[in-house]
Amino acid sequence: DAKTTQPNSMESNEEEPVHLPCNHSTISGTDYIHWYRQLPSQGPEYVIHGLTSNVNNRMASLAIAEDRKSSTLILHRATLRDAAVYYCILRDDYNQGGKLIFGQGTELSVKP
Amino acid sequence: KAGVTQTPRYLIKTRGQQVTLSCSPISGHRSVSWYQQTPGQGLQFLFEYFSETQRNKGNFPGRFSGRQFSNSRSEMNVSTLELGDSALYLCASGSGGGGGYNEQFFGPGTRLTVL
């Protein structure tokens, strides 16, 4: 499984944008980039995923570098509820079923 | 639509005992995966079941086993419990079909404490 590298922790102010980086220099051509987050005392929840193009949904945006060796999860206006551990995960969506390999993730704290 | 449910939510066992945890996936989902979460090792994939068959397996000893029933409900069993098995055990379900991504929905977990 390809490895991802994320900062251990980041801080943000409420209502400001947050950019969470992820490096994945050994990504293969069939790997999708997924982001999950885990709020305190809850199971992880899906945030967003993409392959090559940038993606947007109601929760966040995913910016993928042209060489796909890095990506950035963007929260456009952080709220206190966004304080969580964010995981960047690579997976071959066509061959891995439901399997997710979690790294250490980035713990995001949001200050009021 | 009801979410993923796990029972029990909390469990205390002693070393050497065995334990069975249960997971009911979202209605219609055929894939159930299990994860162990500890402060030291983080979230680790245990195994995945799809249509009553184990489809993927992580790197855990044979003391950890699971099964899936025809209604997609799944159980996980840990035999001969060790202190290091104390963890939050999370279950996730997905629609499971091939040919693309299936979002995984996680339950709240079962907190197992081994004394």
Side-chain angles (χ1 to χ4, degrees), chain B residues 62-115:
Chain B
R63 300 186 297 108
F64 292 81
S65 63
R67 61 177 175 167
Q68 186 180 34
F69 302 95
S70 58
N71 62 357
S72 293
R73 190 177 70 85
S74 177
E75 287 182 347
M76 190 193 105
N77 185 273
V78 188
S79 62
T80 320
L81 284 166
E82 301 175 359
L83 295 178
D85 296 333
S86 295
L88 180 67
Y89 290 88
L90 291 156
C91 161
S93 79
S95 58
Y101 179 62
N102 297 288
E103 180 182 342
Q104 298 298 296
F105 295 84
F106 283 79
T110 293
R111 171 74 63 187
L112 172 65
T113 302
V114 182
L115 302 176

Side-chain angles (χ1 to χ4, degrees), chain B residues 38-53:
Chain B
T38 60
Q41 298 298 317
L43 268 160
Q44 294 184 282
F45 173 77
L46 279 155
F47 31 66
E48 179 199 10
Y49 286 86
F50 177 74
S51 294
E52 301 179 66
T53 301

Side-chain angles (χ1 to χ4, degrees), chain A residues 12-14 80 110-112:
Chain A
S12 171
N13 293 317
E14 196 175 12
L80 296 178
V110 181
K111 296 183 292 185

Side-chain angles (χ1 to χ4, degrees), chain A residues 1-6 22-36 48-52 62 64 67-72 87-103, chain B residues 35 101:
Chain A
D1 298 303
K3 184 175 169 52
T4 62
T5 304
Q6 299 178 252
C22 180
N23 288 318
H24 29 79
S25 58
T26 59
I27 190 170
S28 72
T30 55
D31 282 338
Y32 283 72
I33 302 160
H34 294 260
W35 285 82
Y36 275 73
I48 199 166
H49 79 288
L51 182 62
T52 55
L62 176 59
I64 301 172
D67 63 6
R68 300 206 330 123
K69 293 186 176 182
S70 66
S71 60
T72 302
Y87 297 97
C88 171
I89 299 166
L90 303 182
R91 44 170 280 134
D92 180 343
D93 284 353
Y94 289 85
N95 294 304
Q96 288 189 282
K99 178 181 177 182
L100 293 168
I101 301 299
F102 290 85
Chain B
Y35 294 82
Y101 179 62

Side-chain angles (χ1 to χ4, degrees), chain B residues 7-56:
Chain B
T7 56
R9 292 293 311 278
Y10 301 91
L11 205 49
I12 299 175
K13 291 286 189 178
T14 56
R15 279 180 298 173
Q17 287 187 311
Q18 74 164 15
V19 67
T20 300
L21 311 181
S22 181
C23 173
S24 292
I26 290 172
S27 177
H29 282 187
R30 296 162 63 193
S31 162
V32 174
S33 298
W34 289 89
Y35 294 82
Q36 180 196 66
Q37 185 169 29
T38 60
Q41 298 298 317
L43 268 160
Q44 294 184 282
F45 173 77
L46 279 155
F47 31 66
E48 179 199 10
Y49 286 86
F50 177 74
S51 294
E52 301 179 66
T53 301
Q54 189 178 84
R55 179 160 72 173
N56 282 296

